[in-house]
């Protein structure tokens, strides 16, 4: 890269944000992190600094606070933003929809508006496979129709995608990419950054590692009567470092002016469906331990199966998932052990 380009990472103290910041820095970008620490710790940014050896600028800013956000735009020169800052708990969004709509949409509109006002062109939005719902075809391509959202959280992802699409269409100098993540799991190989859920984890892998660590007594497998080979749900588990690298590929594409349309969408997954039981077996195998789990009723709202067709990301972004499920599940356990001081 001839000159270093700077990227603003909102929600950069979070799980995906920290890993992405590391990969951006490793690829020669300068990164500025903002985060309101509502679901993350400032120490996570120290992890990024330790891994990269770079004293990454970090400001505690809520992206819903327009005045504070404006000060960030005035202080730092960047031409790309990656917007991660959002609430992400599906269940909580059902109980408190207004909290989700106001936070997730207001913060995103503030970001897009500020990018436009400050003539900063490139917006990368973190979307989700949740937009596909119970998909009409599998694997899902970027053209597979989105289904009506089943939660306010999912709806904020769909609405933000639409906001970005419309703004790219309307404003000549704004370009957007939405990355639809499948199920991000694992941790950085250094075990210096990883996922730090507060309270009882909602997602499978943090529950698995906390059960292995003895924090949770027993893992519940939600249903084994689905129409799948072993009866448990199928998902596309994507390694967090691979996912972070997909962001670098997307930022490169924007920074190098290679976009073919003003708004583009990419699925970011492995393309491999994995069942809950397969994941548990792999976790036990690679880490040499036994998990205490039992089969319970289905969890309301779970789709039977979703996995990605990754051709577009592979061919257009030149990106491909590389780490195996075993490597990723090993890294998840290494991280949990480090956090819990387990030898
Ligand atoms: N599961 C269990 N036990 C648990 C937790 C999960 O059996 O304790 C199962 C689920 O039933 C599902 C699979 O593990 O089959 C994966 O569940 P996660 O909660 O880890 O992930 P989801 O696929 O449900 O969630 C993902 C994203 C959300 C997104 C959601 C909607 O994490 O952001 O997809 O499709 F909203």
């Amino acid at each position: 890269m001839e000159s270093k380009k700077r990227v603003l990472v909102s929600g950069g103290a979070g799980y995906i944000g920290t890993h992405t910041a590391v990969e951006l820095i490793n690829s020669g970008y300068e990164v500025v992190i903002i985060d309101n620490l509502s679901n993350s710790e400032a120490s996570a940014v120290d992890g990024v600094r330790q891994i990269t050896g770079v004293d990454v600028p970090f400001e505690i800013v809520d992206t819903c606070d327009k005045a504070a956000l404006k000060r960030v735009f005035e202080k730092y020169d960047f031409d790309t933003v990656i917007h991660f800052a959002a609430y992400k708990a599906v269940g909580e969004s059902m109980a408190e929809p207004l909290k989700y709509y106001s936070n997730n949409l207001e913060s995103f509109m503030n970001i897009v508006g500020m990018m436009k006002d400050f003539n900063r062109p490139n917006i990368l939005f973190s979307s989700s496979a949740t937009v596909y719902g119970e998909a009409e075809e599998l694997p899902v391509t970027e053209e597979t129709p989105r289904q009506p959202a089943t939660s306010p959280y999912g709806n904020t992802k769909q609405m933000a995608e639409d906001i970005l699409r419309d703004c790219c269409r309307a404003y000549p100098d704004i370009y957007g990419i939405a990355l639809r993540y499948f199920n991000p799991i694992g941790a950085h190989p250094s075990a210096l950054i990883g996922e730090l859920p507060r309270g009882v984890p909602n997602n499978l892998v943090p529950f698995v590692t906390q059960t292995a660590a003895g924090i949770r007594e027993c893992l519940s497998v939600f249903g084994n009567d689905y129409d799948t080979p072993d009866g448990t749900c199928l998902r596309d588990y994507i390694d967090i470092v691979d996912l972070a690298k997909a962001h670098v590929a997307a930022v490169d594409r924007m920074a190098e002016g290679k976009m073919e349309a003003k708004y583009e969408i990419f699925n970011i997954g492995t393309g491999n469906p994995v069942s809950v039981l397969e994941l548990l077996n792999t976790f036990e195998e690679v880490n040499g331990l036994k998990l205490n789990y039992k089969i319970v009723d289905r969890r309301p709202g779970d789709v039977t199966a979703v996995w990605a067709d990754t051709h577009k990301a592979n061919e257009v972004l030149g990106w491909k998932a590389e780490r195996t499920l075993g490597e990723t599940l090993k890294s998840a356990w290494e991280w949990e052990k480090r956090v819990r001081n387990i030898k």
Side-chain angles (χ1 to χ4, degrees):
M1 200 176 304
E2 63 297 352
S3 67
K4 279 195 177 178
K5 301 216 174 186
R6 197 178 272 150
V7 180
L8 177 69
V9 180
S10 80
Y15 175 44
I16 308 180
T18 45
H19 289 82
T20 300
V22 165
E23 296 309 318
L24 284 167
I25 294 165
N26 286 346
S27 301
Y29 287 94
E30 283 183 14
V31 167
V32 176
I33 290 177
I34 57 173
D35 201 299
N36 68 357
L37 302 181
S38 68
N39 191 26
S40 56
E41 310 293 333
S43 59
V45 178
D46 293 332
V48 174
R49 291 176 175 145
Q50 227 178 311
I51 293 167
T52 59
V54 173
D55 191 16
V56 185
F58 168 48
E59 311 254 354
I60 300 176
V61 167
D62 187 332
T63 41
C64 287
D65 179 347
K66 247 184 166 165
L69 190 58
K70 186 157 181 258
R71 283 194 290 276
V72 172
F73 276 73
E74 284 163 351
K75 183 167 172 186
Y76 299 99
D77 191 20
F78 48 84
D79 41 33
T80 302
V81 65
I82 306 183
H83 182 63
F84 293 112
Y87 295 148
K88 61 174 186 180
V90 176
E92 185 188 45
S93 80
M94 308 284 268
E96 296 185 73
L98 283 177
K99 177 175 168 179
Y100 274 68
Y101 286 118
S102 64
N103 182 69
N104 290 7
L105 297 179
E106 201 177 317
S107 66
F108 187 54
M109 288 191 288
N110 284 346
I111 288 276
V112 178
M114 215 66 80
M115 292 295 280
K116 172 180 161 292
D117 293 348
F118 280 78
N119 285 317
R120 314 281 172 86
N122 305 325
I123 302 171
L124 184 46
F125 174 63
S126 59
S127 190
S128 164
T130 193
V131 303
Y132 296 114
E134 193 81 63
E136 280 175 14
E137 56 191 10
L138 288 168
V140 292
T141 75
E142 290 79 358
E143 308 303 321
T144 302
R146 298 184 316 186
Q147 299 295 327
T150 51
S151 71
Y153 160 78
N155 212 11
T156 65
K157 291 294 178 197
Q158 295 202 354
M159 291 163 94
E161 282 192 353
D162 293 346
I163 290 167
L164 185 54
R165 177 202 61 205
D166 293 347
C167 290
C168 291
R169 196 181 282 157
Y171 307 129
D173 299 326
I174 292 290
Y175 294 80
I177 290 182
L179 298 184
R180 291 177 177 161
Y181 316 144
F182 284 68
N183 289 58
I185 61 164
H188 194 267
S190 66
L192 290 169
I193 52 173
E195 191 171 9
L196 255 191
R198 287 186 178 160
V200 182
N202 292 309
N203 296 115
L204 180 60
V205 170
F207 211 109
V208 166
T209 55
Q210 289 197 8
T211 306
I215 298 160
R216 313 278 155 211
E217 207 174 306
C218 184
L219 168 81
S220 296
V221 173
F222 297 134
N224 66 348
D225 56 351
Y226 285 94
D227 183 16
T228 61
D230 67 17
T232 63
C233 294
L234 298 173
R235 294 288 184 275
D236 186 335
Y237 296 94
I238 173 75
D239 178 86
I240 188 70
V241 175
D242 283 337
L243 176 64
K245 288 179 177 168
H247 292 77
V248 177
V251 170
D252 284 347
R253 181 166 172 82
M254 294 178 128
E256 291 162 13
K258 288 189 175 155
M259 289 177 69
E260 281 157 26
K262 290 202 70 209
Y263 171 60
E264 296 178 337
I265 300 171
F266 296 96
N267 283 342
I268 305 298
T270 63
N272 303 319
V274 171
S275 77
V276 176
L277 291 180
E278 273 177 86
L279 184 142
L280 301 187
N281 290 337
T282 308
F283 183 87
E284 291 184 328
E285 211 175 284
V286 297
N287 294 308
L289 41 80
K290 277 273 159 225
L291 276 172
N292 189 21
Y293 67 83
K294 60 173 190 275
I295 311 288
V296 301
D297 285 348
R298 292 180 176 197
R299 180 171 68 175
D302 275 342
V303 299
T304 304
V306 63
W307 71 94
D309 181 313
T310 61
H311 283 92
K312 187 174 174 195
N314 299 161
E315 281 149 31
V316 179
L317 289 181
W319 167 90
K320 205 172 183 335
E322 281 167 0
R323 280 169 99 190
T324 64
L325 181 64
E327 287 169 336
T328 305
L329 290 173
K330 223 170 169 0
S331 73
W333 178 228
E334 290 305 319
W335 162 248
E336 187 74 53
K337 283 198 292 187
R338 183 175 162 270
V339 172
R340 309 292 167 193
N341 270 320
I342 298 170
K343 296 286 166 229

